[in-house]
Amino acid sequence: MLKLLHTADWQIGKLFGQFTPDVAALLAEARFETIERLAQLATQRGVDLVLVAGDVFDLQGVADRTLYRLFKAMTGFAGPWVVIPGNHDAALAESVWTRALRLKAIPDNVMPCLQPQPVLLESPGVAVLPAPLTQRHTYTDLTEWFAGAETPPGMLRIGLAHGCVQGLLAADIDAANPIAAGRAAQARLDYLALGDWHGARRIDERSWYAGTPETDRFRNNDSGHALLVELAAPGGVPQVEAVATGRYHWHSLEPVLQVPSDLTELVQRLAAFAANDVVNLSVSGRIDLEGHRRLHSAIEQARGTARGVLVDLTGLQLDPSVQDIESLQADGYLGLTIQELRAAQDGPNAALARDALVLLTGLLSDRRAAAARTRP
């Protein structure tokens, strides 16, 4: 019985530039913590080896300190780690991998496969066939050699590749770094460990994407896992278990506000987020002044609780009610200006008009409140 842990797409060094620097730093730090959890998981579950199917690093130019930190994070599992470069950390003539080797940062039990040649592990009796990327984009199938590769009789044959299985994933990524559908069967593989797709996904009974072990984008694709794989004997069907490994949960909300209950529901959802949530909020529809204040307060409270909150209100129109305008005492020119700004939200300068309307009504509201405080 062979037991292995399949993971991929660590993207160490990812910058998360869409967030504020403090949030970005915490998200980047979480990726190291997740590697530590992977090592602990491998040890606790008694696996024979760990397969890392590419994109260990998010870019070639990570700092030397990052290299040392990563390999330190892997020390919790003393067994073999078999690793291939992906499109983000391709095995160029001069790459992050050649630098790591020069620095002697890579432990002896970590085997980066920079050439397409079998890796034979006598114990536990497995031959790993790697297909490392040697450039960011390739247009030929680097797994073709698997079929003709000779391996010792009785050894399990496991493929390790990074790319896009043709005809099965989204059309917009079905181009560079192709992998033929049916490669596992054609190359007599007992298991094909894949990377590049950031969610855990079954391609066929012998071919799986592990996905990234720490979610890094707003996409509902079952990310934040590693795969525990058991193989009883050559030719047997692998048993695959997805194990949650990620710390942060990423949520994308796109509410359309039309009636007061829509806002009430959104406020409740924002209040429910916790410290390990990362939120992307894109609001559209229409809202009155009081609703806008409630929404702004709910967003600020969510930012104080969740790890990160991105907000896009460009699709939201501010629509002051009759009561709003009356309460502002915006008569004459001010009232006319408010009406013009309301109408302008349907034009080419909608965002500018909405921001001006928010500013103007806010100033009028503050003026009214100040006047109320000074009355005898």
Side-chain angles (χ1 to χ4, degrees), residues 164-203:
C164 176
V165 175
Q166 299 297 279
L168 297 177
L169 300 180
D172 59 345
I173 64 169
D174 198 9
N177 311 321
I179 298 171
R183 177 63 72 201
Q186 186 263 347
R188 309 180 312 284
L189 300 178
D190 296 292
Y191 185 74
L192 175 56
L194 297 167
D196 194 30
W197 184 254
H198 278 217
R201 179 163 180 168
R202 179 185 187 273
I203 299 301

Side-chain angles (χ1 to χ4, degrees), residues 342-359:
R342 289 175 66 187
Q345 292 180 99
D346 291 320
N349 297 314
L352 182 62
R354 185 192 61 254
D355 292 344
L357 188 55
V358 170
L359 179 61

Side-chain angles (χ1 to χ4, degrees), residues 2 45 70 95 111 119 133 155 164 170 176 233-234 242 264 295 306 374:
L2 175 77
R45 299 294 288 265
L70 169 66
S95 71
M111 293 170 275
V119 176
L133 291 183
M155 271 195 167
C164 176
T264 299
L295 176 59
T374 58

Side-chain angles (χ1 to χ4, degrees), residues 119-318:
V119 176
L120 303 180
L121 301 175
E122 297 294 338
S123 176
V126 59
V128 179
L129 308 180
L133 291 183
T134 56
Q135 57 191 45
R136 187 173 179 88
H137 298 298
T138 61
Y139 297 93
T140 58
D141 186 345
L142 299 182
T143 68
E144 285 185 356
W145 74 275
F146 290 178
E150 295 296 332
T151 55
M155 271 195 167
L156 291 159
R157 288 169 62 91
I158 296 179
L160 186 59
H162 188 92
C164 176
V165 175
Q166 299 297 279
L168 297 177
L169 300 180
D172 59 345
I173 64 169
D174 198 9
N177 311 321
I179 298 171
R183 177 63 72 201
Q186 186 263 347
R188 309 180 312 284
L189 300 178
D190 296 292
Y191 185 74
L192 175 56
L194 297 167
D196 194 30
W197 184 254
H198 278 217
R201 179 163 180 168
R202 179 185 187 273
I203 299 301
D204 58 45
E205 66 179 6
R206 299 183 186 280
S207 308
W208 288 73
Y209 283 97
T212 179
E214 181 66 45
T215 303
D216 60 358
R217 60 189 66 177
F218 296 105
R219 184 177 295 171
N220 185 18
N221 63 353
D222 207 20
S223 59
H225 295 85
L227 301 180
L228 278 167
V229 182
E230 293 186 357
L231 289 159
V237 176
Q239 302 300 307
V240 181
E241 175 191 355
V243 179
T245 54
R247 174 177 181 179
Y248 291 115
H249 309 288
W250 292 50
H251 310 268
S252 185
L253 306 182
E254 298 181 356
V256 180
L257 305 183
Q258 298 292 352
V259 295
S261 60
D262 294 336
L263 176 60
T264 299
E265 180 181 349
L266 175 57
V267 169
Q268 291 172 347
R269 293 192 69 182
L270 290 172
F273 287 121
N276 287 339
D277 291 314
V278 183
V279 184
N280 184 42
L281 176 65
S282 179
V283 187
S284 60
R286 310 179 77 88
I287 195 170
D288 62 16
L289 292 182
E290 178 57 30
H292 188 270
R293 295 187 190 101
R294 285 183 62 201
L295 176 59
H296 180 74
S297 175
I299 290 171
E300 291 308 304
Q301 290 181 52
R303 282 176 166 154
T305 303
R307 176 54 60 219
V309 181
L310 301 177
V311 178
D312 179 7
L313 301 180
T314 56
L316 183 64
Q317 290 193 11
L318 188 59

